[in-house]
């Protein structure tokens, strides 16, 4: 039996008390902190707005409230997008990727998605890269 390399993510199983439906909780592959990456996309323009983190409770709140809730890794608490800024994310759909380790949250974004005040967290932050073409 071989060991996993040190860089391999730790997969944390669902807690026995997960608020999610059993099949959803079982499909999620969480990191060592019990979190899953959540990519947030504007539902009509397909703009990628931001990346946040969710645990089972944050995902449950997002799926049942119509508003996006994240788990703050730095503050170690839940936060609902827009409660202080007014820049609300209204949930349109939630999808789990094929590996179960990322979520796609499609929203109708009101105002800026980024805490810096820009529409997206990626706006104006392009890196210099060598581009390619499909042949």
């Amino acid at each position: 039996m071989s060991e996993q390399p040190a860089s391999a993510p730790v997969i944390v199983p669902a807690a026995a008390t997960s608020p999610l439906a059993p099949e959803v909780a079982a499909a999620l592959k969480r990191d060592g902190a019990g979190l899953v990456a959540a990519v947030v996309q504007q539902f009509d323009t397909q703009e990628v707005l931001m990346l946040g983190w969710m645990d089972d409770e944050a995902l449950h709140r997002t799926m049942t409230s119509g508003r996006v809730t994240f788990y703050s890794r730095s503050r170690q608490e839940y936060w609902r997008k827009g409660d202080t800024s007014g820049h609300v994310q209204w949930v349109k759909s939630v999808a789990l990727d094929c590996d179960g380790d990322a979520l796609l949250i499609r929203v109708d974004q009101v105002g800026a998605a980024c805490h810096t005040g820009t529409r997206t967290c990626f706006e104006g932050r392009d890196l210099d890269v060598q581009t390619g073409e499909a042949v």
Side-chain angles (χ1 to χ4, degrees):
M1 190 157 108
S2 65
E3 289 185 42
Q4 287 185 340
S7 61
V10 176
I11 306 303
V12 177
T17 59
S18 175
L20 296 170
E23 64 276 9
V24 175
L28 288 175
K29 291 183 183 168
R30 300 155 192 80
D31 68 9
L35 302 174
V36 175
V39 177
V40 180
Q41 180 182 47
Q42 176 64 31
F43 83 101
D44 53 357
T45 66
Q46 312 306 314
E47 266 178 304
V48 176
L49 301 172
M50 61 176 288
L51 172 79
W53 295 93
M54 294 184 175
D55 65 1
D56 289 32
E57 180 61 30
L59 179 56
H60 178 260
R61 291 180 189 189
T62 297
M63 293 174 67
T64 59
S65 71
R67 298 259 316 267
V68 180
T69 297
F70 297 103
Y71 184 78
S72 171
R73 296 178 301 166
S74 59
R75 295 187 312 266
Q76 297 189 349
E77 65 184 17
Y78 296 102
W79 60 281
R80 192 167 68 165
K81 186 70 172 172
D83 277 355
T84 57
S85 67
H87 299 164
V88 176
Q89 293 176 339
W90 297 104
V91 177
K92 295 298 182 182
S93 67
V94 176
L96 183 61
D97 82 338
C98 60
D99 295 324
D101 61 0
L103 297 160
L104 177 61
I105 314 295
R106 292 185 185 97
V107 302
D108 191 6
Q109 176 71 49
V110 175
C114 186
H115 71 280
T116 65
T118 58
R119 171 78 179 155
T120 82
C121 292
F122 302 98
E123 194 171 305
R125 294 172 178 89
D126 289 343
L127 302 175
D128 289 331
V129 298
Q130 176 64 48
T131 61
E133 290 183 30
V135 188

